[in-house]
């Protein structure tokens, strides 16, 4: 689904032609037929570079997509590489906690982590990107056949161990990090970034001014606070600022809270806690945070191979601010599968 492109074209006025007769260096007249015709000065400014379908920012070319599963509990923080992500998905996992799936394409950090295990909901999200590379560390045994059949290139620590390393100063399993160049080298045919339904541009009319917005999970709480100075929503989790390992607080110009039905899957961990299954196809409600306002929106995704459209209540495209986008997948009501 095409991203909104805003193309400015500057029109230059036609220049007046020089007189038909000019003086030569000897003082005589030079016939008009011997003069060099002036160049046509009417021109257009070059078209701006195309916008990236994930961020709406200009890019010279589209690059392969790398998805990375990243730890999101206090034990794994601060995370490394998230500031470079185009998209960050927040997903509920066992015990009411959350895990992140970061999508990289326009920018690629040298290292990323802590890398953790994948979940069944990932396999339903990833087909919108075509066949991206997926970096993760393990899955439940019953999920292995599904991963093999999924629309992705497996660059996990078991499939591509040379791309991973243990970060000094961290405790296992929260010390597993990956080299992104090596990850992509293991998936040379990964699909390049393509349209996933997002549209970027000026904010639509309406919206409710908001200083902060909170999303609750059974065992986690996110608060997004608008920073007018930084022109982005700063992320806090469980009452503490979410800091990046590179420095500074995590945040994004656009936060999308996508309310999606969440149920029990067939999978569960060793404690017996079931893995949530987030249903990201179909339709539902959403709240889009941008420019210090909250906008009521609707989302729709016809199939797993297509992207997700976001619209205003009257059916117009819900445009996002340019830059990183967080998609917070939340149940309409907090559930403990």
């Amino acid at each position: 689904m095409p991203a909104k492109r805003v193309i400015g074209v500057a029109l230059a006025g036609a220049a007046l032609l020089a007189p038909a007769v000019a003086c030569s260096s000897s003082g005589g007249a030079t016939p008009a037929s011997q003069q060099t015709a002036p160049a046509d000065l009417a021109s257009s400014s070059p078209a701006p570079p195309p916008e990236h379908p994930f961020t709406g920012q200009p890019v010279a070319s589209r690059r392969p997509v790398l998805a990375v599963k990243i730890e999101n509990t206090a034990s794994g923080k601060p995370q490394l590489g998230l500031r470079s992500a185009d998209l960050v998905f927040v997903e509920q996992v066992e015990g009411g906690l959350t895990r992140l799936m970061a999508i990289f394409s326009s920018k690629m950090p040298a290292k990323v982590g802590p890398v953790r295990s994948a979940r069944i909901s990932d396999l339903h999200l990833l087909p919108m990107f075509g066949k991206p590379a997926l970096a993760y560390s393990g899955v439940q045994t019953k999920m292995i056949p599904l991963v093999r059949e999924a629309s992705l290139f497996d660059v996990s620590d078991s499939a591509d161990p040379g791309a991973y390393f243990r970060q000094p100063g961290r405790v296992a399993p929260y010390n597993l990090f990956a080299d992104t160049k090596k990850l992509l080298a293991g998936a040379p045919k990964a699909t390049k970034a393509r349209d996933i339904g997002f549209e970027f541009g000026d904010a639509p009319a309406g919206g409710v001014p908001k200083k902060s917005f909170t999303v609750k999970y059974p065992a986690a709480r996110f608060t997004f606070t608008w920073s007018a100075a930084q022109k982005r929503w700063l992320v806090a989790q469980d009452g503490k600022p979410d800091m990046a390992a590179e420095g500074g607080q995590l945040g994004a110009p656009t936060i999308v809270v996508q309310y999606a039905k969440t149920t029990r899957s067939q999978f569960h961990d060793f404690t017996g806690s079931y893995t949530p299954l987030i249903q990201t196809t179909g339709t539902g409600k959403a709240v889009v945070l941008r420019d210090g306002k909250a906008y009521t929106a609707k989302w729709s995704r016809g199939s797993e191979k297509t992207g997700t459209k976001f619209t205003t209540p009257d059916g117009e495209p819900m445009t996002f601010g340019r830059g990183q986008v967080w998609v917070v997948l939340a149940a309409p009501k907090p559930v403990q599968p």
Side-chain angles (χ1 to χ4, degrees), residues 174-189:
Y174 311 107
N175 61 349
L176 184 66
F177 286 69
D179 181 312
T180 58
K181 286 185 178 180
K182 292 181 179 179
L183 290 173
L184 287 175
K189 295 184 179 180

Side-chain angles (χ1 to χ4, degrees), residues 67-336:
V68 184
K69 289 310 302 285
I70 298 180
E71 175 66 27
N72 196 42
T73 63
S75 300
K77 295 185 178 183
Q79 299 109 325
L80 179 66
L82 281 180
R83 295 191 67 170
S84 298
D86 293 326
L87 309 174
V88 178
F89 288 93
V90 180
E91 304 170 286
Q92 183 177 331
V93 293
E94 300 82 6
L97 298 170
T98 61
R99 186 155 292 176
L100 307 180
M101 183 166 67
I103 305 295
F104 301 92
S105 182
S106 66
K107 298 178 183 178
M108 202 64 62
K111 303 174 183 178
V112 63
V115 180
R116 296 302 308 278
S117 55
R119 294 294 186 274
I120 185 63
S121 296
D122 303 327
L123 306 188
H124 295 289
L125 272 173
L126 289 172
M128 77 168 73
F129 299 101
K131 194 172 182 180
L134 174 63
Y136 65 98
S137 176
V139 293
Q140 296 179 25
T141 304
K142 292 193 299 183
M143 261 189 65
I144 293 176
L146 299 180
V147 173
R148 289 174 178 168
E149 296 172 1
S151 181
L152 58 88
F153 288 98
D154 187 342
V155 288
S156 62
D157 60 337
S158 57
D160 194 5
Y164 292 80
F165 62 94
R166 296 289 176 177
Q167 181 72 23
R170 301 217 184 191
V171 179
Y174 311 107
N175 61 349
L176 184 66
F177 286 69
D179 181 312
T180 58
K181 286 185 178 180
K182 292 181 179 179
L183 290 173
L184 287 175
K189 295 184 179 180
T191 303
K192 293 182 180 180
R194 66 183 196 180
D195 178 23
I196 58 168
F198 293 0
E199 298 204 26
F200 299 87
D202 295 337
V208 178
K210 284 281 185 181
K211 293 183 178 179
S212 66
F213 191 92
T214 297
V215 179
K216 295 181 180 179
Y217 293 89
R221 183 178 80 256
F222 284 84
T223 300
F224 304 97
T225 302
W226 175 246
S227 169
Q230 298 184 36
K231 295 183 179 180
R232 62 190 188 122
W233 297 87
L234 302 180
V235 182
Q237 187 175 346
D238 302 326
K240 297 180 180 179
D242 222 343
M243 307 304 291
E246 301 93 323
Q249 190 170 353
L250 294 174
T254 305
I255 308 292
V256 180
V257 183
Q258 182 179 345
Y259 293 102
K261 184 178 180 180
T262 304
T263 59
R264 281 187 175 189
S265 73
Q266 60 179 303
F267 306 101
H268 56 79
D269 63 17
F270 67 93
T271 69
S273 180
Y274 278 84
T275 301
L277 174 60
I278 306 167
Q279 299 181 15
T280 52
T281 55
T283 60
K285 297 180 179 180
V287 173
V288 176
L289 307 176
R290 59 163 298 177
D291 302 314
K293 290 184 176 182
Y295 293 85
T296 299
K298 298 179 181 179
W299 67 268
S300 63
R301 184 182 178 208
S303 71
E304 293 187 352
K305 292 184 178 181
T306 60
T308 306
K309 283 185 176 181
F310 292 90
T311 58
T312 62
D314 58 3
E316 294 299 315
M318 178 65 234
T319 50
F320 299 167
R322 290 179 172 80
Q324 188 181 81
V325 177
W326 280 53
V327 180
V328 183
L329 297 169
K333 294 182 180 179
V335 294
Q336 181 68 61

